[in-house]
Amino acid sequence: MLIIIDCRDVEAIKNELVVHVSDQVGAVPSLKLHEFILSPINENETIDQNKVIASIKEFLDSIGESRNFAVISRGNTISITSISGKPIERTPKPTSQMFSCVHCGHVTPYEVVHNLHMRIHYL
């Protein structure tokens, strides 16, 4: 089952958030315009939605924003909603600096980490 994370109110930190959450829960991320989607690594596995929510809250807490945002689950969609109606306003990191593995979907902003990761597929 896929899990969709709606990031409209946290668009500025979406790239950092997707890396954190996908690493924490062991899922393959796919970036979309205002959201990202987590897919299980193996088709017969499921992603623990509670782990995803906990990981999102942990990330928001680490940047000092946990009191300003609610993490709401509806079916297979998780929304990160601003309590005050004010989204996070930071300069987003360009998506062109994100490196994604063509084999498993691993995402990292670091080219060196990406190159090292790619090597494991050819051992």
Side-chain angles (χ1 to χ4, degrees), residues 30-43:
S30 301
L31 290 170
K32 301 291 182 181
L33 185 59
H34 300 291
E35 63 193 20
F36 64 90
I37 299 171
L38 296 174
S39 306
I41 292 172
N42 295 320
E43 290 180 24

Side-chain angles (χ1 to χ4, degrees), residues 9-29:
D9 288 350
V10 294
E11 195 77 38
I13 61 164
K14 181 177 75 172
N15 292 336
E16 299 161 60
L17 180 63
V18 70
V19 170
H20 176 81
V21 174
S22 63
D23 282 350
Q24 291 283 314
V25 300
V28 178

